[in-house]
């Protein structure tokens, strides 16, 4: 069977700067993929990388997420939600979006963005030929429950695809890929915990009309570890390389100083560089 390489990108909120650093390394070494699948905050970063853009990701992941208009009181006043993803997308992603989308639609590659269709209560993937010109699907991919509003596209409502999948290794395999470069944003000591009782109560209050979505969230911890175990097994068989932060920088989903977030960006780059020989062998890149 011919080797087909898939790039799998996890989200992680503010931790996404790590992914950006790793993608910058791939760009600097002119390493391209025919396929990438993204979830949550990884959507705009993977999109820009597949379009061949370079430092746009850095601005979005560092300047954007630390902009005072994105998180907190200003976002709440402007949009009625704690996180203003529309502000983030408009100011730090939209200037290059249309050009990148046109470029991607002409390229012989495929970038998929995972979103949770709240109307149908199921995960869906959209590639560059299905993405809308108004960036609504990209925004929906980053819109987490509770802290963000649902995004309406063509009469249907959407939220973050991380409701269902956090590491889309299954999707990479389903689309016929046999080798996988998986980039996640949590270090090896990370422990995913179930939602607290207050958060569960709030979820059930806000989304009582979406029972299948709530049921999906109930199994989120189990799903995450199943996905990661799948990646570990693929690592053992030589069919995957897993890139993850080599240390904890103190950045959480929605917290972290600018210095910590910048540190995470450069850590993503350095972790790739430290495994350069391994990556070149795996991806069959000539040195």
């Amino acid at each position: 069977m011919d080797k087909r390489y898939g790039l799998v990108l996890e989200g992680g909120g503010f931790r996404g700067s790590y992914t950006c650093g790793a993608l910058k390394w791939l760009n600097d070494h002119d390493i391209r993929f025919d396929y990438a699948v993204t979830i949550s905050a990884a959507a705009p970063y993977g999109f820009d990388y597949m379009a061949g853009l370079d430092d746009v990701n850095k601005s979005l992941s560092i300047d954007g997420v630390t902009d005072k208009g994105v998180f907190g009181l200003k976002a709440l006043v402007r949009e009625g939600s704690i996180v203003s993803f529309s502000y983030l997308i408009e100011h730090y992603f939209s200037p290059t979006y249309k050009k990148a989308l046109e470029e991607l639609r002409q390229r012989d590659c495929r970038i998929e963005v995972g979103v949770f269709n709240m109307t149908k209560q199921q995960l869906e993937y959209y590639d560059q030929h299905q993405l809308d010109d108004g960036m609504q699907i990209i925004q929906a991919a980053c819109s987490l429950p509770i802290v963000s509003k649902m995004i309406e596209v063509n009469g249907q409502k959407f939220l973050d695809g991380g409701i269902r999948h956090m590491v889309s290794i299954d999707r990479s395999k389903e689309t016929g890929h046999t080798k996988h470069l998986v980039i996640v944003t949590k270090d090896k000591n990370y422990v995913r915990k179930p939602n607290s009782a207050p958060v569960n109560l709030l979820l059930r209050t806000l989304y009582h009309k979406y029972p299948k979505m709530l049921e999906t969230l109930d199994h989120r911890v189990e799903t995450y570890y199943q996905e990661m175990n799948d990646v570990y097994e693929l690592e053992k068989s030589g069919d995957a390389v897993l890139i993850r932060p080599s240390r904890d920088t103190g950045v959480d989903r929605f917290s972290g100083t600018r210095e910590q977030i910048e540190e995470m960006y450069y850590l993503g780059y350095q972790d790739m560089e430290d495994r350069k020989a391994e990556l070149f062998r795996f991806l069959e890149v000539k040195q």
Side-chain angles (χ1 to χ4, degrees):
M1 180 183 295
D2 292 335
K3 296 177 183 178
R4 296 190 63 208
Y5 290 90
L7 177 63
V8 180
L9 304 177
E10 184 197 23
F14 286 13
R15 299 186 189 97
S17 59
Y18 181 84
T19 302
C20 294
L23 295 176
K24 168 66 172 170
W25 187 91
L26 290 174
N27 260 336
D28 284 354
H29 291 82
D30 197 28
I31 297 175
R32 316 308 311 174
F33 284 78
D34 294 330
Y35 174 81
V37 58
T38 68
I39 283 289
S40 194
Y45 307 139
F47 180 91
D48 281 352
Y49 162 73
M50 292 294 280
L53 301 184
D54 194 2
D55 285 335
V56 175
N57 278 337
K58 184 178 181 181
S59 175
L60 177 63
S61 68
I62 298 175
D63 299 329
V65 301
T66 57
D67 188 316
K68 293 182 180 179
V70 172
F71 185 80
L73 183 59
K74 287 186 177 180
L76 188 62
V77 171
R78 183 187 303 109
E79 293 187 24
S81 57
I82 298 174
V83 183
S84 179
F85 283 113
S86 64
Y87 175 90
L88 177 65
I89 294 295
E90 179 182 351
H91 286 77
Y92 294 94
F93 186 64
S94 65
T96 59
Y97 178 75
K98 288 187 177 180
K99 180 180 179 181
L101 186 59
E102 290 174 1
E103 175 69 22
L104 278 168
R105 286 174 174 171
Q106 295 173 11
R107 287 193 173 197
D108 186 21
C109 69
R110 187 179 181 191
I111 167 73
E112 289 196 314
V113 175
V115 288
F116 196 86
N117 187 322
M118 293 292 286
T119 304
K120 297 179 181 178
Q121 298 186 68
Q122 65 184 30
L123 179 69
E124 297 177 345
Y125 288 95
Y126 289 76
D127 66 22
Q128 66 264 36
H129 301 289
Q130 299 164 310
L131 293 177
D132 60 294
D133 292 339
M135 303 173 294
Q136 293 295 90
I137 291 295
I138 296 286
Q139 185 180 335
C142 302
S143 297
L144 290 113
I146 298 179
V147 299
S148 307
K149 290 184 176 180
M150 289 185 277
I151 305 299
E152 187 168 328
V153 184
N154 297 326
Q156 299 185 90
K157 296 179 178 180
F158 295 88
L159 279 176
D160 188 325
I163 291 171
R164 178 63 182 87
H165 282 310
M166 288 134 279
V167 183
S168 296
I169 187 65
D170 282 350
R171 183 63 176 179
S172 188
K173 292 192 297 183
E174 288 169 3
T175 49
H177 299 87
T178 58
K179 301 285 184 177
H180 317 270
L181 175 59
V182 183
I183 301 175
V184 301
T185 56
K186 286 96 171 173
D187 65 79
K188 66 179 181 179
N189 296 318
Y190 172 80
V191 177
R192 183 174 290 279
K193 300 178 180 178
N195 291 325
S196 64
V199 169
N200 271 329
L201 178 60
L202 186 55
L203 283 167
R204 277 155 174 73
T205 300
L206 294 174
Y207 305 107
H208 63 277
K209 295 181 180 179
Y210 304 96
K212 291 183 181 179
M213 173 262 201
L214 292 172
E215 182 180 358
T216 300
L217 283 173
D218 287 341
H219 296 283
R220 197 163 182 262
V221 173
E222 177 185 349
T223 298
Y224 172 77
Y225 285 109
Q226 286 176 344
E227 291 168 349
M228 289 305 298
N229 285 334
D230 195 0
V231 174
Y232 299 149
E233 289 301 315
L234 288 167
E235 266 194 307
K236 290 178 183 178
S237 64
D239 294 319
V241 167
L242 172 63
I243 301 294
R244 69 191 321 170
S246 55
R247 67 176 184 275
D248 183 3
T249 64
V251 179
D252 208 338
R253 180 182 292 178
F254 292 126
S255 66
T257 65
R258 182 183 177 89
E259 290 73 22
Q260 289 174 319
I261 293 169
E262 284 185 332
E263 179 185 355
M264 200 157 193
Y265 174 89
Y266 291 112
L267 181 63
Y269 193 100
Q270 189 60 51
D271 284 349
M272 296 285 281
E273 180 65 20
D274 289 344
R275 297 175 66 179
K276 180 177 181 178
E278 177 187 2
L279 285 165
F280 277 14
R281 285 195 302 271
F282 178 73
L283 298 172
E284 298 182 342
V285 175
K286 294 182 180 179
Q287 301 187 42

